[in-house]
Amino acid sequence: MKPHSAPTVFVIDDDVEVRISIQGLLKSAGLRCEAFGTAEEFLRNQEPDGTSCLVLDVSLPGVSGLELQRKLADAGVRIPIIFITGHGDIPMTVKAIKSGAVELLTKPFDDNDLLNAIQQALDRDRITRVQQGEYAELRRRYESLTARERQVMGLVVSGMLNKQVAFELGTSEITVKIQRGHVMAKMQAESLAELVRMAAKLELPVSEK
């Protein structure tokens, strides 16, 4: 799958008529669509690299919809899923939603209900991708720190003053001030509060001694 500016909706349903119907609906709504008859066909494709969601039939030959949801989660693929089923029940709905599905629609469903669910799923995916990008950038900045700068950062965000950090590390307060300045610059943090928030997002230990 090559990058596309428009989001992609992946449809997996073994019913050809259902696939054709959904493809026509999505085309009329200006959305790209790629359809598959089985979960295995979808899995043979590369992981989507742009904003996307998955319209997934619960009952599929071979790997079922719920099994595919679990496989994708285990593989770290966080594509939002909208389940469709011809025989939905409450336990199935609860299991799907608890596992992260956006919606479960029972056939025959209203076109607007599907389009609304797809829009919600695409919005969720956009937000997730932005957050993942921000985290990756934050991690890149942190990895640019030297081992000593990481120690200083860990102690500073734990609430220690420069002189306390200096005592802890067996160095001078002026050296800590310089290293702290390097940390702030490399992390692009404008305040201690912002640095603390960055450490929390990175799930760093309170201090690194």
Side-chain angles (χ1 to χ4, degrees):
M1 300 174 190
K2 296 179 181 179
H4 292 271
S5 56
T8 302
V9 180
F10 298 98
V11 178
I12 307 177
D13 197 305
D14 60 324
D15 189 320
V16 176
E17 292 185 1
V18 171
R19 294 202 304 271
I20 292 174
S21 175
I22 293 177
Q23 282 179 298
L25 174 65
L26 297 181
K27 184 177 180 180
S28 68
L31 293 167
R32 290 189 69 254
C33 175
E34 292 187 27
F36 307 88
T38 66
E40 289 85 349
E41 289 178 26
F42 174 77
L43 290 171
R44 282 195 291 270
N45 282 260
Q46 296 178 6
E47 180 181 339
D49 53 10
T51 302
S52 57
C53 71
L54 178 59
V55 177
L56 177 60
D57 188 20
V58 172
S59 302
L60 291 169
V63 177
S64 72
L66 291 174
E67 287 173 334
L68 177 60
Q69 181 187 36
R70 186 176 64 252
K71 284 178 178 291
L72 293 174
D74 290 345
V77 180
R78 304 304 179 191
I79 183 171
I81 296 174
I82 299 153
F83 279 111
I84 54 177
T85 178
H87 48 273
D89 56 42
I90 292 176
M92 181 188 295
T93 302
V94 171
K95 184 176 181 179
I97 299 301
K98 278 188 174 181
S99 296
V102 174
E103 184 62 272
L104 187 147
L105 301 173
T106 303
K107 303 173 185 176
F109 43 78
D110 183 81
D111 287 351
N112 285 329
D113 288 342
L114 178 59
L115 289 175
N116 288 337
I118 286 173
Q119 191 58 59
Q120 182 182 344
L122 292 175
D123 288 343
R124 179 188 292 188
D125 196 47
R126 287 189 189 95
I127 292 171
T128 298
R129 288 176 180 277
V130 168
Q131 291 174 338
Q132 289 174 336
E134 291 175 347
Y135 178 84
E137 170 60 18
L138 208 54
R139 172 58 60 179
R140 185 196 64 75
R141 294 178 195 172
Y142 181 72
E143 290 176 351
S144 74
L145 301 179
T146 65
R148 177 46 65 92
E149 287 167 351
R150 292 181 190 181
Q151 287 182 308
V152 169
M153 177 175 171
L155 295 170
V156 166
V157 299
S158 74
M160 286 190 179
L161 301 175
N162 288 344
K163 62 181 179 181
Q164 293 172 314
V165 174
F167 178 79
E168 183 71 38
L169 298 179
T171 187
S172 68
E173 187 174 349
I174 186 64
T175 298
V176 170
K177 286 182 179 180
I178 293 171
Q179 292 167 336
R180 179 170 174 167
H182 290 165
V183 169
M184 297 294 284
K186 289 182 179 180
M187 294 300 296
Q188 298 180 30
E190 296 183 359
S191 66
L192 175 59
E194 187 176 2
L195 190 67
V196 170
R197 286 193 291 271
M198 289 177 175
K201 287 181 180 179
L202 290 169
E203 298 181 340
L204 301 180
V206 174
S207 63
E208 297 182 352
K209 298 180 182 180

